[in-house]
Amino acid sequence: MMPITSKSLGIDIAKAKYPVVDPADRDPCPGCSSYLNEPFIRCIDCDTEPYLLCLSCFARGFENGKHKSNHKYEIITGSFPLLEYGWSSAEEMRLLDSLSDCGAGNWSAVAKQVRTKTKHECEGHYVKCYILNARYPLPELPCRPAAKICPPIPFKASGEPCRPLPESHRAQDMAGYLAARGDFTEEYLNGAEWGIKDVHFAPDDWPVLKSLKLEMVKIYQSRLSERKRRKDIMRTHGLINVNNHVMQYLRKLANYEKELEEKLRPLMRLQHPIAHDKIFAGFCVEHRLIKRVQKLKEYRKAGITSHRVTKLYEKLKSTRRVEPYSSCLTEILSYKNDHAALLQWLHRQSLDTSQSSTLGPVIPSSRKSINPIDISDLPGVQKLSTIEKEFCESCRIVPEAFLRYKCLLVSEFERSGTLKLSQARTIVKIDVNKTRRLFDFLVKQGYVNTDSTTA
């Protein structure tokens, strides 16, 4: 029985368009003149003759003659299974070619030319796929659905990496990340290299010294691994790319969602980005559901049983909030020319306010209340009395500044015998309101005396 070989199947390895048996049979790479080992690249736009490139030259954008780096291309490889899973098409061609050289039965020599299979595997695969089939001498291809023909891969420019100015806001947002290098200006444990810069291994090192040096190298490797882990977390979650859609999406979140995202950010290192986004979205949905349930409870408490009535309820509710202030403002404007009537109306409103806590103020003040400061740990607080401490906290003046202002004003009073507010403002160069409060406090406590407390 004549063995099945590549020649009996009508396959001429030397004349094949893209031979997969021996890289030396192909034309060398025009960029580096090296053998084209699979996988390699074939240009689609260069139709006059096959233009083949190795992966290294393709990656650096090699151009020659009519070939340009933005041409469409195909990836040529013979690693796909053809007759049996575990046997690639390249191995099939090497098996058939070795059978034509060595003959059927000399499986040891055949296995040496195949290089990736043993002699038992070569013999079993040959008998199974080329002998025990229904249509000798051609092997029977396995029944599989028609594969899709992949179109040529178009060229797509990656664009320039982000290079912000050192003092710009974008550079601050990127935390010193250099996109072109993939590193930070200051790495995690930036001085890790100083521990091993003087470590040298010599043949005559004692075992204890050699073990100590190896431990130092292991410590340095662990720090490098930690650097890589932190960079992977930042790259995977998009924390250093200020132009991506994730950061733009986070900027559009509500205040509660922004606070929640900041609280969940430490958990990014423990999970995949998709899982982290799902957890964050779940918390946001939970918050919206809780607010919706509270709103429904409010509707039920108000006696509303239909969703169509809720719009009218919200409109009336907003009207009730605005009407008290608008009516009060209208009444005040009506009395603006009559001072006595305005005073009577204000007195009546104050009585109504004290009796009913539901009525708001006549004119809501837009001025924010100033919170007192804590001066218990500030220098000079032990020199103040209890009343002076309370004044400094309410007026937001540090103890040392209060003692200095007090000394200046008291000295001026002792020199001239009197002190006015206008003189105090020329001596103490601070806010005029704080100067008035300080002057009134000193007059009340008897430190200074004046005939008139106003300028």
Side-chain angles (χ1 to χ4, degrees):
M1 181 174 62
M2 185 183 72
I4 299 177
T5 62
S6 59
K7 293 182 179 179
S8 64
L9 293 177
I11 302 175
D12 190 356
I13 303 299
K15 296 181 181 180
K17 188 174 183 180
Y18 309 113
V20 294
V21 177
D22 191 1
D25 294 337
R26 307 188 190 97
D27 294 333
C29 174
C32 58
S33 301
S34 60
Y35 291 125
L36 291 173
N37 296 313
E38 295 179 352
F40 56 92
I41 304 299
R42 172 182 174 263
C43 180
I44 298 298
D45 295 340
C46 299
D47 295 332
T48 56
E49 58 181 8
Y51 198 90
L52 309 179
L53 280 174
C54 66
L55 296 181
S56 300
C57 295
F58 173 76
R60 63 185 177 89
F62 175 77
E63 296 181 352
N64 185 14
K66 296 182 179 180
H67 174 71
K68 302 298 179 183
S69 59
N70 59 354
H71 285 180
K72 298 180 180 179
Y73 62 93
E74 288 180 341
I75 301 175
I76 307 299
T77 180
S79 60
F80 57 90
L82 186 61
L83 304 178
E84 183 182 8
Y85 291 104
W87 279 77
S88 64
S89 60
E91 292 172 337
E92 296 284 354
M93 298 299 294
R94 288 199 297 268
L95 174 64
L96 297 179
D97 190 56
S98 60
L99 285 173
S100 64
D101 294 339
C102 305
N106 191 6
W107 299 112
S108 298
V110 170
K112 289 182 180 179
Q113 292 193 19
V114 175
R115 297 193 302 273
T116 56
K117 303 294 181 181
T118 63
K119 62 178 183 179
H120 301 289
E121 291 175 342
C122 293
E123 182 180 5
H125 177 72
Y126 180 77
V127 172
K128 176 182 177 181
C129 297
Y130 295 92
I131 302 299
L132 302 177
N133 60 77
R135 295 185 299 173
Y136 176 83
L138 297 177
E140 183 178 359
L141 298 177
C143 297
R144 61 183 68 176
K148 295 183 180 180
I149 300 177
C150 298
I153 304 173
F155 171 79
K156 183 178 180 181
S158 59
E160 286 292 326
C162 181
R163 293 186 177 92
L165 297 176
E167 301 299 332
S168 62
H169 292 287
R170 178 168 294 183
Q172 296 177 2
D173 293 338
M174 296 180 68
Y177 181 72
L178 305 177
R181 292 173 46 187
D183 293 327
F184 288 86
T185 54
E186 185 174 351
E187 296 286 349
Y188 172 74
L189 295 176
N190 202 35
E193 288 76 11
W194 287 90
I196 62 167
K197 65 183 183 66
D198 296 328
V199 175
H200 301 282
F201 289 90
D204 55 347
D205 284 342
W206 289 2
V208 177
L209 182 59
K210 185 177 181 180
S211 302
L212 180 59
K213 293 179 179 180
L214 291 175
E215 290 298 326
M216 295 177 65
V217 174
K218 289 181 181 179
I219 293 173
Y220 175 67
Q221 290 177 347
S222 65
R223 292 177 177 177
L224 293 182
S225 301
E226 181 64 18
R227 284 183 186 175
K228 182 180 181 302
R229 187 185 71 87
R230 291 170 179 260
K231 288 181 181 179
D232 292 341
I233 292 174
M234 289 183 288
R235 292 193 185 102
T236 305
H237 291 271
L239 300 179
I240 51 180
N241 189 358
V242 297
N243 293 326
N244 61 1
H245 299 287
V246 178
M247 301 302 294
Q248 295 177 3
Y249 166 74
L250 294 177
R251 291 191 184 97
K252 298 179 181 178
L253 295 177
N255 293 332
Y256 167 78
E257 294 175 345
K258 290 181 180 179
E259 294 177 359
L260 178 62
E261 193 274 333
E262 291 180 359
K263 293 179 181 179
L264 294 178
R265 188 170 294 178
L267 301 178
M268 287 182 174
R269 57 180 179 175
L270 304 177
Q271 53 195 352
H272 193 268
I274 297 178
H276 180 79
D277 293 341
K278 289 182 179 179
I279 293 176
F280 173 70
F283 280 116
C284 294
V285 172
E286 180 188 13
H287 178 69
R288 289 194 291 267
L289 291 177
I290 291 175
K291 292 183 64 176
R292 181 61 179 169
V293 170
Q294 293 176 352
K295 183 64 71 175
L296 292 176
K297 287 182 178 179
E298 180 185 352
Y299 294 156
R300 179 60 60 88
K301 188 176 180 180
I304 299 175
T305 58
S306 175
H307 288 285
R308 293 179 297 178
V309 189
T310 56
K311 295 183 179 179
L312 179 60
Y313 172 78
E314 292 294 338
K315 184 176 180 180
L316 294 176
K317 184 178 178 181
S318 61
T319 304
R320 287 197 303 270
R321 293 174 180 172
V322 177
E323 278 184 352
Y325 306 115
S326 61
S327 61
C328 292
L329 182 60
T330 304
E331 294 182 14
I332 290 176
L333 293 177
S334 63
Y335 294 129
K336 66 178 182 178
N337 296 326
D338 191 349
H339 184 68
L342 180 60
L343 291 178
Q344 293 178 3
W345 183 87
L346 291 175
H347 179 67
R348 185 172 63 253
Q349 287 296 116
S350 63
L351 294 177
D352 295 341
T353 305
S354 61
Q355 294 176 1
S356 176
S357 60
T358 58
L359 184 61
V362 178
I363 302 176
S365 176
S366 60
R367 189 171 183 178
K368 297 182 180 179
S369 60
I370 302 176
N371 298 325
I373 61 174
D374 184 15
I375 63 172
S376 58
D377 297 333
L378 297 180
V381 68
Q382 66 276 4
K383 300 179 182 180
L384 303 179
S385 62
T386 305
I387 299 177
E388 291 176 344
K389 291 180 182 178
E390 294 177 355
F391 172 77
C392 290
E393 290 179 351
S394 61
C395 198
R396 301 178 66 86
I397 300 178
V398 296
E400 290 185 346
F402 172 78
L403 294 173
R404 186 169 63 255
Y405 300 152
K406 175 185 173 183
C407 181
L408 292 175
L409 295 178
V410 171
S411 299
E412 179 64 22
F413 171 74
E414 293 177 352
R415 186 183 65 82
S416 60
T418 183
L419 183 66
K420 295 183 179 181
L421 179 58
S422 58
Q423 296 174 341
R425 286 177 175 171
T426 57
I427 297 172
V428 179
K429 301 295 184 179
I430 58 175
D431 182 63
V432 292
N433 297 322
K434 288 186 178 182
T435 306
R436 174 180 286 276
R437 294 182 63 181
L438 176 62
F439 181 78
D440 294 340
F441 175 77
L442 295 178
V443 171
K444 184 177 180 181
Q445 297 300 321
Y447 292 105
V448 298
N449 190 11
T450 180
D451 296 335
S452 177
T453 58
T454 59

